[in-house]
Amino acid sequence: MDFRNFSGARSLNSAAPNVVEIVDRIEKLTLLETASLIQELKTRLNIQEVAMPVAAAPSSATPAGAAAPAAAAPAEEKAPEQTEFKVKLEKFDAAAKAKIIREVKNIIPGANLVEAKKFVESVPKVLKENVPKEEAEKMKKMLEELGATIVLE
């Protein structure tokens, strides 16, 4: 995703070159690397967890959720020739939310329960990238048994 067209990104043009370089490197991180970076920064800088309002999550997830089934169909056709997959959490059964949050916490390295809860509530979202086929299918089966809908891309 290219964030250079957003109005907030234009302010980087006047930023110090070392700041621009850091932002460019962060922009290229995967989801798991970003989660790891955030956890490391919180630890080193002694940043406390702050509860964020959850009301905005469903409205921001709705447009992406509507487009996701159309995007998932081509990925499923290519699945047999792929060796590595993205494991994407599409949706989940509300009754199984707590179990899915705990499992997501175990899957994402360094994530705490609050981060796992925010992740689950912001579906559809890629849970893990570059996963070997066997591991991806195992993860999919386990999460689907808990009540999640998983797509391998």
Side-chain angles (χ1 to χ4, degrees):
M1 178 176 252
D2 188 7
F3 293 104
R4 291 183 190 100
N5 293 331
F6 294 142
S7 60
R10 290 188 194 123
S11 65
L12 287 177
N13 294 338
S14 62
N18 60 341
V19 173
V20 173
E21 180 183 335
I22 292 169
V23 171
D24 288 342
R25 290 183 67 192
I26 290 172
E27 185 177 51
K28 295 174 185 167
L29 295 176
T30 65
L31 177 64
L32 293 175
E33 291 169 333
T34 305
S36 177
L37 172 65
I38 291 168
Q39 191 62 36
E40 185 66 24
L41 287 171
K42 286 179 181 178
T43 302
R44 286 192 187 185
L45 301 176
N46 195 23
I47 298 173
Q48 302 296 319
E49 288 291 327
V50 178
M52 299 298 287
V54 205
S59 64
S60 65
T62 304
E76 290 175 353
E77 292 173 8
K78 296 177 186 176
E81 59 194 57
Q82 287 183 323
T83 58
E84 292 186 339
F85 295 88
K86 290 181 184 178
V87 179
K88 185 175 184 180
L89 177 60
E90 282 288 320
K91 58 184 177 178
F92 59 90
D93 180 18
K97 183 177 177 181
K99 292 177 188 175
I100 294 169
I101 290 171
R102 281 192 294 269
E103 194 56 44
V104 167
K105 177 188 172 288
N106 293 332
I107 292 171
I108 300 176
N112 61 34
L113 281 174
V114 173
E115 292 167 335
K117 180 178 184 279
K118 289 177 187 174
F119 183 93
V120 170
E121 290 174 343
S122 64
V123 296
K125 205 162 185 182
V126 175
L127 182 60
K128 201 167 184 182
E129 294 181 340
N130 301 325
V131 182
K133 183 178 181 178
E134 290 178 10
E135 185 182 339
E137 288 175 349
K138 181 180 173 185
M139 199 180 303
K140 178 181 179 181
K141 182 181 178 198
M142 176 186 47
L143 288 165
E144 285 180 341
E145 287 174 359
L146 293 175
T149 301
I150 303 294
V151 174
L152 300 180
E153 299 179 336

